[in-house]
Amino acid sequence: MGKIGRNQPCPCGSGKKYKHCCLPAQQAGTIVNPTNQMKISLMAAIEKIQKQAVEKNPAFHELGVFLFYSDDHGDAWLLEITDSDAVQVASGGQALEVPIDENPETIEINFSHTFAIRERQLFFTAYADQAETRLDKAPAQQIHAAIRRLRKRFPPEMFAKMHVEQGGAAEN
């Protein structure tokens, strides 16, 4: 791994500058593994959105390339913008088990759907049967704005580092 500049985005994927994220812990002698930091941050964000869903509070959060939202019906989703993948993390006010596999090097989320925004609406397509569903309660405009903002903030090379597939990075 090359040297990370103080003003570069933190490799943990938080979206913060390195100097405001993992650098202080590294300088204090606490070596932070970016994968472990991302897992902790990702699980905390999932738990936060699940709590909002259980309380049936609409919410929207961002963490690196991940977007989280809940609606007033108690449904919540985790969206990953580099490949437009998605997985439901709460349904009808009940938290669902999140399909995350991890090893010391990577965090792998077993996404169940892809997502797309068309005509200001959010659509999910299930991997299992290719069934498409439109979610009327989804914050499609907020999601679209967040994707545009993140694509402007991070160069394509950074997205490639944040998400790696078997054959290389994929682009939407």
Side-chain angles (χ1 to χ4, degrees):
M1 183 171 171
K3 185 174 178 176
I4 303 165
R6 294 174 45 79
N7 291 318
Q8 291 179 321
C10 189
C12 76
S14 68
K16 298 178 183 177
K17 288 184 179 184
Y18 180 57
K19 67 182 178 186
H20 295 298
C21 192
C22 294
L23 179 61
Q26 187 176 16
Q27 288 174 334
T30 310
I31 303 215
V32 178
N33 177 334
T35 301
N36 287 342
Q37 170 127 4
M38 183 54 145
K39 180 186 179 291
I40 292 166
S41 299
L42 186 59
M43 290 307 297
I46 290 169
E47 290 169 4
K48 181 178 178 181
I49 204 67
Q50 285 176 325
K51 182 178 182 218
Q52 295 292 321
V54 167
E55 295 171 357
K56 298 190 178 180
N57 291 328
F60 183 83
H61 308 283
E62 296 177 32
L63 176 65
V65 296
F66 298 104
L67 305 176
F68 307 82
Y69 83 87
S70 63
D71 63 27
D72 58 1
H73 289 282
D75 294 335
W77 287 83
L78 162 60
L79 310 176
E80 190 269 346
I81 68 166
T82 61
D83 278 340
S84 299
D85 285 322
V87 66
Q88 191 168 14
V89 297
S91 178
Q94 297 291 317
L96 302 174
E97 187 174 335
V98 182
I100 295 180
D101 294 326
E102 64 169 312
N103 66 47
E105 305 264 330
T106 62
I107 299 169
E108 184 176 313
I109 302 168
N110 295 319
F111 291 102
S112 57
H113 295 75
T114 61
F115 74 92
I117 297 177
R118 296 190 307 268
E119 301 171 9
R120 299 181 184 212
Q121 296 287 321
L122 180 64
F123 292 86
F124 288 109
T125 302
Y127 280 122
D129 60 6
Q130 298 301 304
E132 184 175 77
T133 306
R134 183 182 78 206
L135 274 82
D136 295 323
K137 289 288 203 169
Q141 290 180 341
Q142 249 184 316
I143 293 167
H144 181 69
I147 291 169
R148 289 184 60 192
R149 186 172 50 255
L150 289 169
R151 292 218 180 269
K152 285 181 182 177
R153 184 183 312 157
F154 298 112
E157 302 82 35
M158 186 64 143
F159 277 113
K161 289 179 184 177
M162 291 180 192
H163 180 83
V164 178
E165 285 190 8
Q166 295 287 348
E171 192 66 32
N172 285 358

